Amino acid sequence: MSINIDRPCGTFDRNYFQAKEIFRTPLRKALLILLLGSMYLLPYLTNDYGISILTIICAYSIGMLGLQIITGYCGQISIGHAAFMGIGMYTVGILQRHFGLSFWACLPLAGLVPMLIGMLFGIPALRIKGLYLAFATLAAHFVIVYVISNWRSVTNGTDGIRMNRPGPLWGIDFSADRNYYFLVLTATVLMVYLATNLTRTKLGRALVAVRDNDIAAEVMGINIAHTKILAFGIGCFFAGIAGALGGAYYEYVNVEWFGLDDSIWFLGFLVVGGFGSIFGAIAGAAVWKIMDELSTLVTPLAETFLGGAAFYASAAFSLVFYALIIIIFLVFEPRGIAHRWQMIKRSYRLHPFPY
Amino acid sequence: MEETLNAFVFGICNGGIYSLLAVSYVVIYKSTRVFPFSQAAVLILGAYIMWYCLIAWHLPIWLGFLITCSAGAILGIFIERAFMRRLVGQPILAPIVVTLCLMLLLRGVGILLGKGNIQGFGESFLPVGAWKIGFLHIPEIQVFGFVLCTGLIGALMLFYEKTRVGLAMRIVHEDHVMAQSLGLNVRRVFQYSWVISCVIASIAGMLLGNIQGVGLGLDANGLVAIAAVLFGGLESFAGAIIAGLAIGILQMLTIIYIAPLLPGETTMMIPFILLLLVLFLKPYGLFGLTRIERL
Amino acid sequence: MAEPLRDIGKKREQRYSYGLTLLRECIEMKHPSAHTEEKGEDQILLRAENICLDFGQLRALEDVNLEVRAGEILAIIGPNGAGKTCLLNVISGFYRAQKGEIYFAGKRITQSPSYKIAELGLCRTFQNIGLYTGLSVIDNIIAGRHPHIHYHFLAGMLYFPWAHREEAKQRAIAEDIIDFLELEQVRASVVGNLAYGLRKRVELGRALALEPRVLLLDEPMAGMNLDEKEDMARFIIDINEFLKIPIVLIEHDMGVVMDIADRIVVLDFGREIAEGSPEEMKEDPRVIAAYLGEG
């Protein structure tokens, strides 16, 4: 991971700083700037509907990055990720409603509160080796949803809380969707930057070491309990930020939005995107949102075909269809879209040789 | 006092079904080392199929029972053949995600089967009525359910102890590689475990559908059974049985003592708090095995 | 020509180093008085006293004493199942012995967790290679440096300049080790794809990266042909002479043991049956009966 194996032809490193660079040649740096620029220009090309999709993809990407750190890099299975996203959303909502804090003040807390709560649930499970984090997060999910649904005085129960978009900053009004998209995009770029750096540093290597061979890692000087707890904490931090940004887009947050299904889809679409890479996390988030949009198209189709039975078809559609896609990916392409993309790039580069 | 005793008895009867579910999880986990989250949804399918047999098609009870068990068996064979078999050799994450997605897939199939409605059984197929023993008020339906569960678990334990196939399964529980080197067909044992587990889960679904009404909320029982499995130890049948009973009793006591104190639906949440406590205090469960790793 | 260690990474030009000079500087910076010029008997670096290890009813080690003196190469030999790897596991903290004490450089490490023991300088390799299969060779070696890398993870995430420089410094030290072990060709390959002999060398490199004060090698030459064995023996002798650290070797190849070991300890069925120089061991009747055989 500290070596960039995917180096363009003809470039040689003269010192270790160059060896660690991800964008090695001037051409690649230019392409990166072009990509970022085009992402900022996209909202001018689409209508509000397109902007909403892009914003939610960005918010989901941040959440997926968090899960990628926990599961893809550190190998711990977390089935409660949507619940921590919900805690992030609710933190902002509660602070705005009861204390009147501005969005900017709430945002770091939206990351910290899920992190602390996550670590509270994660610590008993991470001291021991095995799948126990999966069960602990499953339990955490139910407990969190229960607390949020029933603590009416603070969270307004199942009625949800209205959230406010951030106040104007430097004259930019965020109640306009386009401006809010720029904010979310900037946050996503920042989070991707943080996550990529994480993989290149000492903690990133420790995460992969714990995933690959935790027995050996312990004997080789890595405190695996500490590493796992840290990974889980960082992942939940990302989830909380994702929740805050997504919730502020809809200006409303409700506990019904994050059920056990969503936690499982997080994990499943991370598999579809690909484990162990940043691109995989973003690809998984994009696929998820696109699937969501496709499933909203099913309802009118179902009504024409099935008549009165349509109302349950769309509910079943998302369950059956997403699950099938995830399972098919796991069986046939377990390393996900990211790996497939690497293969395509490689075949293009090596054409006409097979490998 | 009366209430508590009543709760105890009620809880044991409920706990019988939880034990059955917990055993269905442990059967697969011991053989394949994959935790089958999907069994929570097989419940729903079992309940719906029984409902169809009895209410929609008006078949006799024994035929409905037979059809449900066969459907469970076919489902088990299908899941193992189509999905689990292809995941051999992949890291532990892959089967877990597949079982989780299967849980949701089967839930979706359940919605389609039930046409989105949550419905009661109409007429129960088990005797409805209650016995009064002193101050105890025991519904017959629960007792029959409990007796059926005990019978099933007893039959399963006999199967493991006395038959050759059971012996082969017990060897696979210990070590896959060793079993294979002894000439046992480990894949077939995996298939048997899945079939047994799905049949048991369908029967449990049948009973629960009768008691609680056929609908999508049944998989909450499956998830509570997960808490039972962890409480008893992931690899222990005795633990699963005892923990199932304990959780049944705990739920009933919750209804009496804790539910008045806390708002909302506490009966489904308290077992998970128990799960977290178990992870804190005795992570391997009551009867679980701590594995010694080789370096 | 030699650039001091603390300046590495400050400039963008790289220095060239031969052998393990960088590593030796790291060790000397931390423990200036650790090495002596002669192999003194009075300098005992690692001492294990009366170790008793049970697995349930199975007694793996019984009353084993081990002393590692400064600068020596100690070989532990014995038939399979004698408890040699168990002894190393107990010393490195992976198993907890039921009885016995372990002292390392005067500190009592019997109850310390394994990662603290590794930080102190007690590093080991594994019999069945325990590399991080997802990382490349050089990443494995830098991962071995983990306890000695000092920047906070937040600084790493924000990639502050001092984190950059620290990474470059660690890379230089890892390249130093790669030069020594002649692994330059495979530096960027993922270890899962490497041949067995190369993987053993990477393991040795990772153990070296931990700045060992005592090195424990578990069958470093298992499964190698004559050339590879000679290479490995050369590496071991070079490490012993250049870094001046004692090396404990578990080995089955008697030729290698007799050639490079200063002292031999023989284990059989968990007990220590003999200890002494190679010449003494060749004549000792108990050792011949248990392990070497007649002739």
Side-chain angles (χ1 to χ4, degrees):
Chain A
M1 272 182 325
S2 72
I3 281 199
N4 191 11
I5 305 180
D6 195 22
R7 201 173 290 127
C9 204
T11 55
F12 300 99
D13 305 323
R14 263 180 286 115
N15 54 49
Y16 295 137
F17 293 97
Q18 277 181 345
K20 280 187 281 126
E21 275 187 61
I22 300 179
F23 301 102
R24 186 75 175 76
T25 57
L27 174 64
R28 289 198 167 184
K29 292 189 176 126
L31 282 177
L32 173 69
I33 296 181
L34 204 63
L35 175 71
L36 285 179
S38 63
M39 300 216 63
Y40 276 95
L41 287 177
L42 268 178
Y44 293 104
L45 303 172
T46 69
N47 54 2
D48 267 347
Y49 181 62
I51 295 181
S52 81
I53 296 185
L54 289 171
T55 314
I56 298 299
I57 290 183
C58 287
Y60 273 175
S61 302
I62 300 179
M64 279 288 198
L65 276 176
L67 192 60
Q68 182 74 283
I69 292 175
I70 300 177
T71 307
Y73 285 116
C74 199
Q76 311 300 311
I77 306 175
S78 163
I79 316 182
H81 211 67
F84 295 116
M85 218 168 136
I87 295 185
M89 276 193 220
Y90 262 93
T91 309
V92 177
I94 292 173
L95 289 175
Q96 280 182 345
R97 181 168 176 249
H98 290 276
F99 300 105
L101 292 177
S102 79
F103 183 82
W104 305 107
C106 296
L107 194 58
L109 285 172
L112 284 174
V113 170
M115 180 164 110
L116 292 171
I117 296 185
M119 282 160 72
L120 189 68
F121 283 109
I123 285 177
L126 293 167
R127 296 174 305 146
I128 38 177
K129 298 172 190 165
L131 312 167
Y132 295 94
L133 184 67
F135 299 118
T137 49
L138 188 66
H141 185 99
F142 281 102
V143 173
I144 290 173
V145 169
Y146 169 81
V147 167
I148 293 181
S149 312
N150 291 297
W151 203 6
R152 300 202 79 93
S153 56
V154 171
T155 65
N156 213 17
T158 46
D159 294 332
I161 306 184
R162 280 201 58 84
M163 271 169 70
N164 299 320
R165 292 262 182 100
L169 192 68
W170 305 317
I172 310 176
D173 176 27
F174 289 112
S175 51
D177 279 352
R178 184 181 300 158
N179 296 336
Y180 189 68
Y181 167 70
F182 291 140
L183 173 67
V184 176
L185 184 62
T186 316
T188 310
V189 169
L190 182 65
M191 288 293 165
V192 169
Y193 172 72
L194 288 178
T196 316
N197 284 337
L198 180 66
T199 63
R200 297 200 276 180
T201 62
K202 158 187 169 191
L203 183 60
R205 275 188 295 268
L207 293 180
V208 178
V210 167
R211 178 189 76 189
D212 282 337
N213 199 335
D214 52 354
I215 312 175
E218 174 115 55
V219 182
M220 284 286 141
I222 299 177
N223 184 350
I224 51 180
H226 184 71
T227 307
K228 287 197 252 187
I229 291 173
L230 209 51
F232 192 55
I234 296 178
C236 293
F237 180 84
F238 275 57
I241 302 273
L245 291 172
Y249 175 75
Y250 287 117
E251 289 183 294
Y252 176 66
V253 58
N254 192 330
V255 70
E256 318 246 315
W257 288 353
F258 32 94
L260 189 61
D261 298 3
D262 288 292
S263 288
I264 299 180
W265 296 143
F266 255 113
L267 208 49
F269 282 106
L270 185 65
V271 169
V272 168
F275 279 125
S277 66
I278 306 286
F279 175 69
I282 302 177
V287 169
W288 189 1
K289 185 61 187 163
I290 294 174
M291 288 285 135
D292 268 348
E293 295 307 313
L294 281 180
S295 67
T296 58
L297 295 176
V298 167
T299 324
L301 280 178
E303 270 169 17
T304 52
F305 281 120
L306 297 169
F311 75 95
Y312 66 85
S314 51
F317 173 83
S318 69
L319 285 176
V320 173
F321 197 51
Y322 295 5
L324 271 177
I325 290 194
I326 293 171
I327 294 178
I328 290 176
F329 257 94
L330 258 173
V331 170
F332 291 112
E333 181 64 270
R335 288 192 272 178
I337 292 182
H339 181 242
R340 195 40 43 193
W341 175 238
Q342 293 276 28
M343 293 286 116
I344 294 175
K345 275 203 295 188
R346 192 172 297 182
S347 69
Y348 172 72
R349 229 183 259 141
L350 294 172
H351 185 76
F353 303 109
Y355 59 86
Chain B
M1 184 54 190
E2 292 189 358
E3 270 191 5
T4 315
L5 270 182
N6 231 340
F8 249 92
V9 175
F10 218 73
I12 291 187
C13 295
N14 256 348
I17 304 185
Y18 285 136
S19 298
L20 195 63
L21 279 172
V23 165
S24 83
Y25 283 114
V26 174
V27 164
I28 295 186
Y29 183 76
K30 273 189 97 141
S31 304
T32 62
R33 302 268 177 280
V34 170
F35 195 84
F37 288 97
S38 50
Q39 305 306 88
V42 176
L43 282 185
I44 301 180
L45 285 188
Y48 270 121
I49 294 178
M50 189 65 167
W51 185 87
Y52 263 98
C53 294
L54 288 191
I55 309 296
W57 299 334
H58 299 288
L59 299 172
I61 296 180
W62 60 271
L63 192 57
F65 190 82
L66 215 58
I67 292 182
T68 312
C69 290
S70 327
I74 295 175
L75 187 63
I77 296 179
F78 174 65
I79 293 178
E80 203 273 331
R81 268 242 144 112
F83 304 125
M84 293 293 144
R85 195 167 282 201
R86 313 208 187 208
L87 297 175
V88 173
Q90 290 199 26
I92 187 67
L93 188 55
I96 302 262
V97 176
V98 167
T99 52
L100 284 170
C101 290
L102 273 175
M103 174 166 84
L104 295 179
L105 180 65
L106 294 174
R107 208 146 170 258
V109 171
I111 295 182
L112 288 173
L113 272 184
K115 300 193 173 38
N117 289 331
I118 301 176
Q119 38 228 356
F121 239 109
E123 353 154 336
S124 148
F125 63 88
L126 293 173
V128 185
W131 298 332
K132 290 185 79 73
I133 305 179
F135 54 80
L136 292 175
H137 186 88
I138 312 174
E140 284 189 34
I141 201 172
Q142 302 269 19
V143 174
F144 272 104
F146 180 72
V147 168
L148 186 61
C149 293
T150 319
L152 274 172
I153 296 180
L156 188 65
M157 294 300 124
L158 272 178
F159 168 73
Y160 274 126
E161 290 289 321
K162 303 289 181 191
T163 64
R164 287 190 61 189
V165 181
L167 179 63
M169 290 180 77
R170 273 189 292 148
I171 297 178
V172 172
H173 290 172
E174 294 294 321
D175 194 328
H176 296 169
V177 179
M178 170 188 68
Q180 203 158 31
S181 66
L182 284 173
L184 291 176
N185 193 343
V186 178
R187 274 201 215 138
R188 200 175 287 174
V189 168
F190 287 174
Q191 192 139 59
Y192 290 154
S193 328
W194 271 95
V195 165
I196 293 176
S197 176
C198 284
V199 167
I200 294 181
S202 318
I203 297 178
M206 216 173 9
L207 290 171
L208 280 171
N210 208 11
I211 298 175
Q212 292 181 3
V214 179
L216 298 164
L218 286 179
D219 59 358
N221 292 299
L223 296 169
V224 167
I226 296 183
V229 170
L230 270 154
F231 182 40
L234 270 176
E235 295 191 21
S236 155
F237 283 117
I241 297 171
I242 295 181
L245 294 173
I247 292 224
I249 298 176
L250 181 69
Q251 276 202 324
M252 290 301 135
L253 291 177
T254 312
I255 292 184
I256 298 184
Y257 292 114
I258 304 188
L261 300 173
L262 294 174
E265 182 69 43
T266 44
T267 49
M268 286 303 159
M269 200 259 306
I270 291 287
F272 289 109
I273 300 216
L274 177 69
L275 198 165
L276 289 168
L277 276 175
V278 165
L279 280 176
F280 221 159
L281 299 171
K282 205 165 192 301
Y284 291 109
L286 288 177
F287 295 98
L289 309 166
T290 44
R291 297 211 151 240
I292 305 178
E293 292 149 331
R294 265 202 77 91
L295 204 50
Chain C
M1 181 180 118
E3 186 183 347
L5 188 64
R6 62 176 185 280
D7 290 333
I8 291 195
K10 281 198 184 148
K11 299 184 242 173
R12 295 220 154 202
E13 302 304 317
Q14 298 306 305
R15 60 169 273 187
Y16 177 73
S17 72
Y18 180 71
L20 291 175
T21 43
L22 273 183
L23 197 61
R24 185 163 75 162
E25 271 180 52
C26 290
I27 298 182
E28 285 175 9
M29 269 195 332
K30 290 223 183 86
H31 311 285
S33 61
H35 65 282
T36 53
E37 289 304 318
E38 327 85 43
K39 300 183 176 187
E41 273 222 2
D42 43 3
Q43 262 270 23
I44 296 185
L45 220 48
L46 173 67
R47 187 172 68 224
E49 292 174 352
N50 301 328
I51 306 279
C52 291
L53 181 65
D54 291 325
F55 292 117
Q57 301 289 21
L58 177 67
R59 182 133 261 208
L61 292 173
E62 187 154 344
D63 234 1
V64 175
N65 291 295
L66 191 73
E67 263 181 15
V68 179
R69 301 174 191 147
E72 70 167 355
I73 297 183
L74 173 69
I76 303 180
I77 66 177
N80 277 320
K84 312 188 288 287
T85 306
C86 285
L87 181 60
L88 280 201
N89 286 344
V90 167
I91 293 177
S92 53
F94 186 63
Y95 292 151
R96 295 257 175 274
Q98 273 73 30
K99 266 193 348 195
E101 302 288 329
I102 308 172
Y103 296 93
F104 179 56
K107 282 178 66 161
R108 182 175 173 273
I109 60 168
T110 322
Q111 303 291 340
S112 302
S114 333
Y115 65 91
K116 285 236 173 69
I117 297 181
E119 251 178 271
L120 286 174
L122 195 53
C123 317
R124 63 170 294 184
T125 65
F126 302 98
Q127 191 173 8
N128 311 313
I129 303 175
L131 288 174
Y132 308 132
T133 46
L135 293 175
S136 61
V137 166
I138 186 144
D139 279 322
N140 264 280
I141 298 183
I142 303 182
R145 298 270 323 145
H146 190 264
H148 303 293
I149 307 180
H150 299 295
Y151 57 86
H152 194 249
F153 78 93
L154 277 178
M157 276 174 90
L158 295 165
Y159 229 39
F160 286 148
W162 67 83
H164 252 295
R165 274 181 258 137
E166 184 75 27
E167 284 284 315
K169 181 170 121 183
Q170 303 304 330
R171 178 73 191 267
I173 299 175
E175 292 285 352
D176 195 33
I177 296 176
I178 288 183
D179 279 344
F180 172 68
L181 290 172
E182 296 166 13
L183 287 170
E184 299 94 333
Q185 305 273 36
V186 293
R187 176 192 293 142
S189 339
V190 175
V191 289
N193 303 332
L194 290 179
Y196 186 76
L198 279 175
R199 268 191 268 176
K200 280 233 169 250
R201 249 194 263 173
V202 177
E203 271 241 42
L204 183 59
R206 192 179 59 166
L208 279 178
L210 267 168
E211 289 177 21
R213 294 170 65 191
V214 175
L215 200 53
L216 309 171
L217 302 178
D218 198 344
E219 302 205 20
M221 298 178 205
M224 291 187 181
N225 60 19
L226 189 60
D227 276 338
E228 293 171 338
K229 277 194 195 177
E230 288 180 352
D231 281 342
M232 193 59 102
R234 176 168 50 91
F235 290 141
I236 293 177
I237 298 178
D238 277 348
I239 294 172
N240 176 250
E241 289 182 354
F242 193 66
L243 292 179
K244 302 191 179 47
I245 56 176
I247 299 184
V248 177
L249 197 58
I250 293 181
E251 191 44 60
H252 281 295
D253 185 338
M254 277 297 108
V256 166
V257 165
M258 294 299 175
D259 275 343
I260 66 175
D262 294 321
R263 219 164 39 103
I264 300 184
V265 168
V266 186
L267 290 180
D268 192 16
F269 289 115
R271 293 170 177 277
E272 198 183 327
I273 59 175
E275 181 187 329
S277 73
E279 291 73 29
E280 292 169 20
M281 288 298 106
K282 258 196 264 198
E283 311 299 321
D284 192 319
R286 291 168 299 172
V287 176
I288 295 178
Y291 192 51
L292 292 177
E294 310 292 333

